[in-house]
Amino acid sequence: MKTAFDKARNGLEVKGRFAYGAVPETIADSWRRCVRLGLDPVGKPEECVVSHTDLYQRRDQQDRVMRLVRPELELLSAQIAGSNFLVAFADSDGVVLDQILDEEFRTSTCGKSILPGSIWSEEIRGTNALGLALHTGASCSVTGREHFFAKEGTVSCLSAPIFDSSGQLIGLLDASSEVTARQYHTLALVNLAAQNVENRLFVEDHRGEHIIQFHPRQEYLKTQNVGMIAFNEDGQITGANRRTGELLTGLNLANAIKFQDVFMGQFRPLIEQICRGEIVQITDWLRSGYFARLRLTHSARTKLTNTQVLLPTDPIYRVPMAAGDIGTGRVFEDEALRQNLRLGRKSAQQGLPVLIVGAPGTGKNTTAEEIHDQLHPDQAFVLVECETLNLDAVEGQLIAQMKSKADATSRKQDTIDLNKGGTLYLDRVDLLPIEIAPSLNTLLNRVIQRRNPLLADGEWIIISSAQNSASLNDAIGPLRTIYDRLSGFSLYLPKLVNRSDFRHLCCAMLTAISPQHTLSNKGTDALKMMTSDHNLTDLNRNLRTLAIHHHEGIIRQEGVNRILGQRQLGISACTRCVGQMIKEVRCIEIRKALRDCNGNVALAARQLGVSRNTVYTHVMD
């Protein structure tokens, strides 16, 4: 038996008319707009995609927002992961700028339509969640046959708008899936992700001002579901987030200029109390009560006590940033490694220390630098080599003092300013001498002071590395205290031989070493066989050896075996000659000569008085 909605849908497709009351109001309004535009519900929707140049310019304009959106997309994809899903970000014109989707959805009809640069405004794509949220300015869901075009009737999509601190719609988050049952749960996640982005944008736009967080329930002050109002030094309102309007229902914030226009009491006594870190109670003019606290930012004008922190000088240094794009030459294409890196970055952003665990040469230092570069590349990257740390170095200390702005000009260049924030990286913390633990604990007392759910200027990321985590779990005494403070998120690095992006890694390294050389697929396989028991340093050395001894162009399997294989030659014959005594002796002689000539076949052939083909036959196993 047909439902009222089925009848309305059939009327839309056959006659272009439908019973308005049989369809949800927002969907019915959208269908009417689409009919007026002359769209055909049983026709094929128009596939509109902006040019590559236009897409690049849009992404560049939205760079600040996209840096905040991308972690939310990654978190959403992990939360709703399953068959047939997509999460995306679109700008205020409905143009998709970024997306994450699984392979099953990618090959579906809708998946082939939702591409970077595709336009999903209602005027072009009919009723869909992105276009509807763009038109209404509110989060919405469009399920199955609620889509205007019948061809999109198998997909459920949800979308939530993102507003900046001035109330302008600047983008939309979208989640699409062919699994209808999960839509209500997913809509809550999409709304929360949009709220997170809005709050972070608000904080960035009002750094240096007093941002007051408030909520009727005190326990909610630590969540993203809080109202935030920004005030200048005189108590004038400079901005409010969207949640503020929802909490202060009945008050006209558009006409509010000062603190006293919204809340009872005086601004100055309140701000002095709240700047001391206290949670206070405030009341609006409708006599609704709220708990409030200060949202600390880098430039919040609170008084800080000058405290000396002792840092050992010799094993600590700041890594200079390379010119050009950050992350150049780093490869994280392996799926497991990329996922671990995403979670590590997310953890560091939220204030959790990150422990990088990996065998020697798996890229612990590179991974730490990548997390630093992705979160705050302009800040200091302070490397502490725990293996070489000693008591003498601690006693020969570097004093990093939290100085006032007046002292900033007199600060030495090599002094680490804790006020400016950065990344503290404790390399091989599992080798930390026990006598150093108290001094290092003093340092952690100063830098582990995360006050915000979002990494802000002036705050520190704490990263450490270890060869294995078992030794950390077995530690006792002061070392156990240090390890407990550094516990947070453990990022495990795969062995080089297990990385699925080995070819990408080789190509990136070789391009940095010698752009004139490339490596064939079989050459990569041969190199992987020779590098299976080695690390990234050995891989780099092997590639440099290949670049030195191989003529410019493609390095093939033969070249890898000839140049690198000769180092292992000398006592064993090739597989063709094994078991035949006379041939083995001659083969070993040829292979020794090739080794002594550093893999130069022509030179070895001349010294032995044989043809190059003869030498080749004993090189290739």
Side-chain angles (χ1 to χ4, degrees):
M1 182 176 178
K2 289 186 176 181
T3 64
F5 177 85
D6 291 333
K7 293 178 181 179
R9 180 71 209 187
N10 185 65
L12 173 67
E13 295 180 0
V14 176
K15 302 177 182 179
R17 300 190 303 273
F18 60 93
Y20 185 89
V23 182
E25 184 177 354
T26 55
I27 301 298
D29 289 339
S30 178
W31 282 5
R32 283 185 173 180
R33 290 192 295 270
C34 294
V35 170
R36 294 192 193 103
L37 289 169
L39 301 180
D40 182 4
V42 294
K44 183 179 180 181
E46 186 178 359
E47 303 283 350
C48 288
V49 181
V50 300
S51 67
H52 289 291
T53 302
D54 191 4
L55 177 61
Y56 175 82
Q57 291 174 345
R58 289 174 182 271
R59 283 174 168 171
D60 186 58
Q61 292 170 356
Q62 292 277 31
D63 178 68
R64 184 173 71 107
V65 180
M66 290 183 67
R67 283 188 286 108
L68 298 177
V69 165
R70 183 66 188 188
E72 297 298 334
L73 290 181
E74 293 172 356
L75 184 59
L76 272 175
S77 68
Q79 290 171 327
I80 67 175
S83 60
N84 289 302
F85 82 93
L86 170 144
V87 290
F89 169 70
D91 63 14
S92 57
D93 293 325
V95 178
V96 175
L97 302 184
D98 195 7
Q99 63 175 186
I100 299 176
L101 69 166
D102 67 0
E103 286 302 319
E104 190 170 358
F105 193 88
R106 189 189 303 273
T107 57
S108 67
T109 301
C110 192
K112 294 177 181 178
S113 299
I114 308 178
L115 305 170
S118 58
I119 306 174
W120 285 83
S121 61
E122 197 176 67
E123 295 82 2
I124 295 175
R125 299 295 309 205
T127 305
N128 68 91
L130 267 178
L132 190 55
L134 184 61
H135 181 87
T136 62
S139 60
C140 60
S141 63
V142 179
T143 305
R145 298 181 71 200
E146 290 180 348
H147 287 84
F148 183 80
F149 287 105
K151 290 183 177 294
E152 297 170 354
T154 61
V155 177
S156 295
C157 54
L158 315 101
S159 188
I162 299 173
F163 294 87
D164 63 14
S165 59
S166 64
Q168 297 295 317
L169 191 149
I170 57 173
L172 307 106
L173 291 180
D174 177 84
S176 298
S177 173
E178 292 186 350
V179 183
T180 307
R182 70 164 62 137
Q183 64 171 331
Y184 300 108
H185 167 67
T186 305
L187 182 58
L189 296 176
V190 173
N191 283 329
L192 180 60
Q195 190 175 60
N196 289 343
V197 175
E198 287 183 2
N199 287 347
R200 291 167 183 176
L201 284 172
F202 183 84
V203 171
E204 283 195 3
D205 289 340
H206 295 279
R207 291 197 183 279
E209 299 171 351
H210 297 293
I211 300 177
I212 293 181
Q213 295 177 319
F214 67 98
H215 197 278
R217 297 175 60 177
Q218 184 174 347
E219 63 269 23
Y220 277 71
L221 288 177
K222 296 182 180 180
T223 71
Q224 293 290 331
N225 192 33
V226 292
M228 290 195 292
I229 304 181
F231 300 92
N232 63 17
E233 288 291 335
D234 297 325
Q236 292 184 330
I237 298 174
T238 58
N241 71 340
R242 189 155 50 121
R243 181 62 173 147
T244 295
E246 298 171 357
L247 292 175
L248 298 177
T249 302
L251 292 174
N252 188 357
L253 290 178
N255 297 329
I257 300 176
K258 292 188 175 183
F259 174 86
Q260 291 85 349
D261 296 332
V262 180
F263 301 104
M264 298 179 181
Q266 297 297 314
F267 175 75
R268 182 55 55 189
L270 173 73
I271 203 64
E272 289 179 357
Q273 184 181 2
I274 210 170
C275 279
R276 293 195 293 267
E278 300 179 20
I279 296 178
V280 301
Q281 289 184 290
I282 56 177
T283 305
D284 65 24
W285 285 106
L286 295 179
R287 299 196 176 278
S288 298
Y290 308 92
F291 293 92
R293 70 171 184 175
L294 187 69
R295 170 57 159 93
L296 290 174
T297 64
H298 169 59
S299 301
R301 297 172 176 82
T302 55
K303 293 183 179 179
L304 298 174
T305 304
N306 287 339
T307 304
Q308 289 186 342
V309 180
L310 309 181
L311 305 178
T313 55
D314 296 343
I316 292 184
Y317 60 91
R318 279 170 288 184
V319 178
M321 299 306 299
D325 295 336
I326 62 173
T328 300
R330 298 175 193 159
V331 176
F332 297 99
E333 295 297 326
D334 180 83
E335 185 176 6
L337 178 58
R338 190 167 64 247
Q339 174 67 8
N340 286 342
L341 183 62
R342 289 173 186 161
L343 295 176
R345 181 188 62 203
K346 186 79 172 177
S347 300
Q349 192 174 35
Q350 296 294 335
L352 281 177
V354 176
L355 172 65
I356 303 174
V357 182
T362 51
K364 295 186 288 294
N365 291 7
T366 301
T367 303
E369 292 173 9
E370 181 69 14
I371 294 174
H372 168 81
D373 287 345
Q374 289 188 16
L375 292 178
H376 55 190
D378 296 330
Q379 305 297 337
F381 183 88
V382 182
L383 175 63
V384 180
E385 295 177 341
C386 296
E387 184 176 6
T388 60
L389 208 58
N390 56 65
L391 193 57
D392 292 336
V394 175
E395 292 174 350
Q397 57 208 344
L398 172 66
I399 299 179
Q401 209 170 12
M402 299 181 73
K403 298 182 179 179
S404 64
K405 291 183 178 180
D407 297 327
T409 56
S410 62
R411 185 180 295 124
K412 292 183 179 180
Q413 219 174 24
D414 59 352
T415 300
I416 301 171
D417 185 359
L418 297 187
N419 281 329
K420 291 184 177 180
T423 298
L424 177 65
Y425 174 44
L426 306 175
D427 184 27
R428 291 304 306 273
V429 69
D430 51 328
L431 300 178
L432 182 71
I434 190 170
E435 65 271 15
I436 309 301
S439 180
L440 185 58
N441 197 49
T442 302
L443 172 61
L444 293 177
N445 286 337
R446 298 306 305 151
V447 296
I448 301 183
Q449 291 189 13
R450 292 298 306 278
R451 300 174 290 271
N452 306 312
L454 172 67
L455 178 67
D457 291 341
E459 294 183 341
W460 286 80
I461 295 172
I462 309 299
I463 305 176
S464 57
S465 70
Q467 189 164 320
N468 62 74
S469 56
S471 59
L472 306 186
N473 297 330
D474 297 337
I476 59 174
L479 287 178
R480 181 68 187 186
T481 302
I482 291 290
Y483 297 156
D484 286 343
R485 299 194 70 182
L486 295 175
S487 65
F489 175 77
S490 295
L491 194 161
Y492 292 90
L493 298 179
K495 292 183 179 180
L496 182 60
V497 69
N498 294 331
R499 287 182 58 164
S500 62
D501 59 352
F502 184 83
R503 173 165 175 75
H504 294 281
L505 195 60
C506 292
C507 292
M509 279 190 179
L510 187 58
T511 299
I513 294 169
S514 176
Q516 295 78 26
H517 288 88
T518 57
L519 196 62
S520 70
N521 290 337
K522 289 187 176 180
T524 304
D525 294 338
L527 183 60
K528 189 172 185 178
M529 293 291 293
M530 294 182 178
T531 316
S532 59
D533 296 328
H534 302 286
N535 53 38
L536 290 170
T537 302
D538 294 319
L539 175 60
N540 185 279
R541 181 170 55 248
N542 285 343
L543 288 170
R544 290 182 183 275
T545 302
L546 290 173
I548 291 171
H549 292 88
H550 197 285
H551 57 79
E552 294 182 0
I554 301 175
I555 303 176
R556 304 187 186 278
Q557 180 181 14
E558 174 276 324
V560 174
N561 290 331
R562 173 171 52 84
I563 296 172
L564 297 181
Q566 55 85 21
R567 290 182 300 181
Q568 302 174 357
L569 305 178
I571 60 172
S572 61
C574 68
T575 55
R576 295 182 181 86
C577 300
V578 170
Q580 305 176 57
M581 183 176 297
I582 297 177
K583 287 187 176 182
E584 277 191 15
V585 172
R586 183 58 173 164
C587 179
I588 290 174
E589 180 185 4
I590 292 173
R591 289 163 76 92
K592 281 184 177 180
L594 185 62
R595 179 199 59 190
D596 296 340
C597 294
N598 279 313
N600 191 314
V601 174
L603 181 58
R606 286 197 297 272
Q607 289 187 353
L608 292 168
V610 298
S611 68
R612 286 182 293 179
N613 287 338
T614 300
V615 176
Y616 273 124
T617 59
H618 294 277
V619 173
M620 304 298 293
D621 283 332

